[in-house]
């Protein structure tokens, strides 16, 4: 169905990544203030 | 059943946005869809798809938009149940080390979490032998991971520059022998930065973090020399500009801290942009609330409004000839991390460890010097086997507060050290942090919606 009222910005498929994810090659995401890596959600998957 | 516990909707300027926390889905909707979603959320009787169909049938204005909402619900992208439970625990390998190569600093910043560089202990530098052992440790303990991270941190790492350089050379040599690639990062205050250091950093460091708070009077009020003589801003700005100019497209961040002295921190972000920096991060100070510069509950309204103001100006700048990247408005919505990464968060205590100058191992740089959290030594390895699992299991799905939060899979629970200091538990988040993080996420989604 073509959406007229709603546009979904995400395409993350988190459930699927239970099977496909976990390679661990992404950069470490320190979340403390002094290291400037506050969230995990800003990183791209490197797979 | 419709799970309404993790759905968040908000209006920012002309955009209506809806976040489904359990699936991490973000939707930009029109006013009618927003009205329907809000009605569903607020009406306790609308707890199932059948009830919702009945409601839509009785309200003809929702007929068309109702189909779209139902489609999202059936696809588990709106009012979705928490389907991400019982995620298998991953094997632990260490893939990143923070090397505190100098427990000393040539500045005396008032807000320094490291007690102006010494981490509450003796001032000292890491010997090369310890740094090399750390490289070996990382290679041995990283399992099949190919990409490994080493952060040169302190204190001020430039005070131990020869060890930084030799460690990089050793890492490159050993990485080639063992099929590993090192990503090096250095964080510096810039005081001792020399042109030859720029060249080495630009050649070998995957990322460089340059500490500068913004406007001269703001920076110099809290970032001061040992004798509080002269302007730190005037010394470091030309050096940072020189390094960045030569850096090309490689990653860097000019990183500032805002305090209660500059709740109008948008001005500092813009000042950094006007100095020519395109990669900017400015974030709130984390400190004891009794400090005069601490951000406290009473400042929160002003801080959140300032992020909105920054988002508006940021969007204008993105469309102008002076765009810049504000780190905390970055969010990856289509190729983001897998669920394992979102649960691991920072990985402190198991994937990511910190090494003190004497070789002692801690869960991360924030814990260095805290004997209760000492994990072992770089020579003997991790001797405390319980702590790594405790860190690993303390993720958002095991936190009562985080598990009900719409931001859980973007934030991943925040800094565990901050949690511990605030509430005495790794999994109980700091409310001030939560509020600012949620606001930054709202701004990030709004910016994405405005650009699509």
């Amino acid at each position: 169905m073509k959406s007229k009222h709603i546009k979904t910005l995400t395409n993350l498929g988190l459930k699927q990544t239970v099977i496909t994810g976990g390679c661990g090659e992404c950069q470490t995401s320190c979340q403390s203030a002094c290291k400037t890596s506050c969230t995990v959600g800003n990183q791209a998957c490197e797979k | 059943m419709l799970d309404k516990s993790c759905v968040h909707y908000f209006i920012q300027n002309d955009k209506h946005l809806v976040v489904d926390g359990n699936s991490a889905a973000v939707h930009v909707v029109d006013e009618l869809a927003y009205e329907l979603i809000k009605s569903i959320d607020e009406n306790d009787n609308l707890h199932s798809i059948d009830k919702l169909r009945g409601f839509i049938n009785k309200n003809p204005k929702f007929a068309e938009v109702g189909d779209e909402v139902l489609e999202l619900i059936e696809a588990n992208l709106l009012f979705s149940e928490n389907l991400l439970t019982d995620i298998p625990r991953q094997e632990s390998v260490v893939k990143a080390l923070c090397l505190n190569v100098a427990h000393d600093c040539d500045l005396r910043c008032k807000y320094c979490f490291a007690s102006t560089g010494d981490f509450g202990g003796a001032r000292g530098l890491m010997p090369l032998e310890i740094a090399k052992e750390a490289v070996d440790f990382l290679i041995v303990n990283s399992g099949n991971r190919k990409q490994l991270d080493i952060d040169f941190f302190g204190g001020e790492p430039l005070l131990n520059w020869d060890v930084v350089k030799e460690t990089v050379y050793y890492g490159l040599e050993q990485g080639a022998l063992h099929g590993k690639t090192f990503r090096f990062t250095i964080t510096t205050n810039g005081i001792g930065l020399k042109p030859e250091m720029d060249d080495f950093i630009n050649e070998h460091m995957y990322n460089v973090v340059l500490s500068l708070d913004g406007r001269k009077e703001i920076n110099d009020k809290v970032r001061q020399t040992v004798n509080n003589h002269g302007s730190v801003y005037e010394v470091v700005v030309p050096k940072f500009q020189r390094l960045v100019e030569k850096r090309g497209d490689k990653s860097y961040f000019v990183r500032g801290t805002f305090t209660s002295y500059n709740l109008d921190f948008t001005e500092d972000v813009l000042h950094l942009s006007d100095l020519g920096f395109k990669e900017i991060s400015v974030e709130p100070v984390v400190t004891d609330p009794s400090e005069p510069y601490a951000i406290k509950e009473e400042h929160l309204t002003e801080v959140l409004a300032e992020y909105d103001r920054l988002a508006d100006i940021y969007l204008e700048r993105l469309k102008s000839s002076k765009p810049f990247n504000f780190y905390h408005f970055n969010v990856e919505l289509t190729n983001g991390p897998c669920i394992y990464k979102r649960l691991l968060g920072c990985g402190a205590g198991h994937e990511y460890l910190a090494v003190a100058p004497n070789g002692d191992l801690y869960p991360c740089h924030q814990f260095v010097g805290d004997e209760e959290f000492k994990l072992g030594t770089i020579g003997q390895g991790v001797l405390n086997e319980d702590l790594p699992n405790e860190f690993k299991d303390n993720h958002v799905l095991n936190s009562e507060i985080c598990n009900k939060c719409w931001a859980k899979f973007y934030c991943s629970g925040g800094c565990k050290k901050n949690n511990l200091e605030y509430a005495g538990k790794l999994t109980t988040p700091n409310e001030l942090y939560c509020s600012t993080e949620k606001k930054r996420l709202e701004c990030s989604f709004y910016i994405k919606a405005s650009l699509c």
Side-chain angles (χ1 to χ4, degrees):
Chain A
M1 184 177 74
K2 184 160 174 58
S3 295
K4 191 172 149 191
H5 301 273
I6 300 173
K7 180 173 185 179
T8 299
L9 301 178
T10 41
N11 182 21
L12 295 169
L14 287 190
K15 181 73 177 166
Q16 181 62 19
T17 69
V18 176
I19 301 160
T20 60
C23 75
E25 295 292 349
C26 45
Q27 200 176 8
T28 301
S29 321
C30 167
Q31 294 182 287
S32 87
C34 54
K35 288 263 190 165
T36 289
S37 251
C38 188
T39 71
V40 172
N42 59 18
Q43 275 193 269
C45 174
E46 296 193 26
K47 203 170 186 179
Chain B
M1 290 292 289
L2 307 186
D3 188 337
K4 302 180 184 179
S5 63
C6 272
V7 173
H8 175 64
Y9 41 90
F10 64 100
I11 301 169
Q12 189 149 347
N13 295 333
D14 61 333
K15 301 295 178 195
H16 296 65
L17 289 127
V18 180
V19 185
D20 183 58
N22 280 337
S23 65
V26 180
H27 314 283
V28 54
V29 305
D30 66 9
E31 285 182 41
L32 193 61
Y34 192 86
E35 184 186 339
L36 175 57
I37 290 164
K38 192 164 180 284
S39 299
I40 298 168
D41 187 52
E42 291 173 349
N43 188 337
D44 290 341
N45 291 324
L46 299 179
H47 52 72
S48 68
I49 286 190
D50 285 345
K51 291 273 186 190
L52 178 55
R53 281 189 206 284
F55 175 78
I56 291 168
N57 288 338
K58 285 183 197 164
N59 292 275
K61 72 172 181 177
F62 291 138
E64 186 179 75
V65 71
D67 284 344
E68 290 185 31
V69 167
L70 283 165
E71 192 177 355
L72 288 181
I73 292 171
E74 283 165 352
N76 290 312
L77 295 173
L78 183 60
F79 298 114
S80 69
E81 288 179 63
N82 191 355
L83 299 172
L84 295 162
T85 54
D86 301 325
I87 307 298
R89 202 200 226 184
Q90 295 252 283
E91 59 157 337
S92 252
V93 296
V94 183
K95 65 178 197 178
L97 287 181
C98 176
L99 300 191
N100 281 14
V101 291
H103 271 194
D104 200 355
C105 190
D106 41 14
L107 289 184
R108 294 292 182 270
C109 302
K110 289 184 177 173
Y111 49 51
C112 182
F113 82 96
S115 306
T116 67
D118 62 13
F119 287 78
R123 295 188 181 272
L125 303 179
M126 179 180 282
L128 180 58
E129 294 70 34
I130 297 283
K132 284 184 170 180
E133 272 191 81
V135 170
D136 297 338
F137 173 89
L138 187 51
I139 289 171
V140 167
N141 288 280
S142 56
N144 294 327
R145 300 290 185 276
K146 295 208 176 331
Q147 305 217 64
L148 307 178
D149 297 322
I150 287 185
D151 287 359
F152 294 102
F153 202 63
E156 172 49 47
L158 296 190
L159 294 179
N160 202 5
W161 179 244
D162 287 343
V163 164
V164 170
K165 275 202 309 186
E166 291 304 317
T167 307
V168 167
Y169 290 136
Y170 184 71
L172 293 173
E173 172 197 301
Q174 292 300 309
L177 287 174
H178 294 89
K180 307 283 186 182
T181 303
F182 282 97
R183 287 182 289 214
F184 298 104
T185 294
I186 191 164
T187 300
T188 178
N189 64 32
I191 291 288
L193 196 60
K194 296 174 182 162
E196 60 269 28
M197 293 174 172
D198 297 349
D199 297 336
F200 184 88
I201 287 170
N202 284 341
E203 181 177 355
H204 294 293
M205 300 291 175
Y206 174 81
N207 196 6
V208 55
V209 180
L210 309 167
S211 300
L212 176 67
D213 284 355
R215 292 166 288 179
K216 180 174 181 290
E217 64 276 18
I218 295 298
N219 185 81
D220 290 350
K221 187 166 183 174
V222 284
R223 300 185 66 78
Q224 297 173 347
T225 60
V226 176
N227 300 321
N228 193 16
H229 182 72
S231 164
V232 170
Y233 174 98
E234 286 182 0
V235 173
V236 303
V237 165
K239 294 183 178 201
F240 287 163
Q241 287 172 320
R242 184 189 67 208
L243 181 144
V244 167
E245 192 181 338
K246 291 191 276 183
R247 193 157 172 81
D249 294 334
K250 291 185 88 171
S251 180
Y252 74 93
F253 269 98
V254 173
R255 193 219 162 273
T257 298
F258 72 83
T259 70
S260 62
Y261 299 151
N262 59 322
L263 296 173
D264 60 344
F265 57 88
T266 295
E267 300 306 321
D268 295 288
V269 173
L270 296 178
H271 182 77
L272 294 172
S273 168
D274 291 340
L275 287 173
F277 301 116
K278 294 191 183 310
E279 303 290 338
I280 299 168
S281 165
V282 173
E283 56 190 312
V285 67
V286 177
T287 190
D288 190 312
S290 65
E291 297 290 354
Y293 49 80
I295 305 279
K296 298 194 280 275
E297 190 74 29
E298 69 210 53
H299 301 126
L300 194 56
T301 305
E302 200 173 337
V303 168
L304 301 187
E306 192 67 6
Y307 276 116
D308 284 337
R309 186 166 86 91
L310 177 57
D312 290 343
I313 298 174
Y314 183 68
L315 265 176
E316 285 172 20
R317 288 271 178 122
L318 283 182
K319 294 167 185 170
S320 76
S321 58
K322 288 170 66 179
F324 66 92
N325 180 29
F326 183 65
Y327 191 84
H328 295 96
F329 287 165
N330 287 346
V331 68
E332 178 56 56
L333 296 183
T334 54
N335 185 35
C338 62
I339 187 64
Y340 299 101
K341 172 73 173 178
R342 290 175 197 268
L343 294 188
L344 285 171
C346 64
H350 50 105
E351 272 193 352
Y352 167 64
L353 307 177
V355 188
N358 66 358
D360 285 351
L361 285 171
Y362 293 91
C364 80
H365 58 288
Q366 291 273 2
F367 287 93
V368 169
D370 186 339
E371 287 305 297
E372 191 187 338
F373 284 89
K374 183 176 159 182
L375 292 170
T377 68
I378 205 70
Q380 295 174 296
V382 175
L383 303 174
N384 185 333
E385 294 176 0
D386 296 331
L387 261 181
N389 284 332
E390 195 179 330
F391 272 86
K392 195 191 291 190
D393 290 338
N394 276 299
H395 55 65
V396 289
L397 298 180
N398 287 339
S399 160
E400 198 177 335
I401 295 171
C402 296
N403 199 22
K404 290 177 183 165
C405 176
W406 59 267
K408 61 186 170 185
F409 290 134
Y410 288 98
C411 149
S412 292
C415 171
K416 290 182 168 57
K417 173 69 171 176
N418 291 350
N419 294 353
L420 202 61
E421 289 197 346
Y422 170 75
K425 288 171 75 176
L426 294 170
T427 48
T428 303
N430 177 329
E431 285 174 24
L432 268 177
Y433 168 81
C434 288
S435 299
T436 52
E437 176 56 13
K438 286 182 202 172
K439 170 53 74 179
R440 293 188 297 215
L441 280 169
E442 285 185 349
C443 290
S444 307
F445 298 148
Y446 162 70
I447 289 162
K448 286 278 187 191
S450 299
L451 295 174
C452 71

